[in-house]
Amino acid sequence: MSRCPICEKPSNPAYRPFCSKRCADVDLAHWLRGDYVIPGDKAHPTSSENDE
């Protein structure tokens, strides 16, 4: 059985891969704050951003 990536409890199929809505919300908060970063080069500005 898989484990919740936030608290390590067994995951719940209703909230997979998390064990509860609380842990799913904690993970979402990490993404929204920018705690998780996907490595790579910074994106180049689009042409619409340069036109302003």
Side-chain angles (χ1 to χ4, degrees):
M1 178 174 245
S2 64
R3 296 274 185 196
C4 176
I6 301 299
C7 70
E8 299 295 322
K9 290 180 183 176
S11 66
N12 179 337
Y15 300 104
R16 199 174 91 209
F18 307 103
C19 66
S20 65
K21 181 169 179 3
R22 179 198 167 279
C23 283
D25 289 344
V26 167
D27 185 70
L28 178 59
H30 285 292
W31 280 105
L32 294 175
R33 280 194 313 254
D35 294 342
Y36 298 143
V37 178
I38 298 172
D41 297 332
K42 292 203 179 233
H44 300 315
T46 61
S47 60
S48 62
E49 291 176 351
N50 291 333
D51 295 340
E52 292 178 1

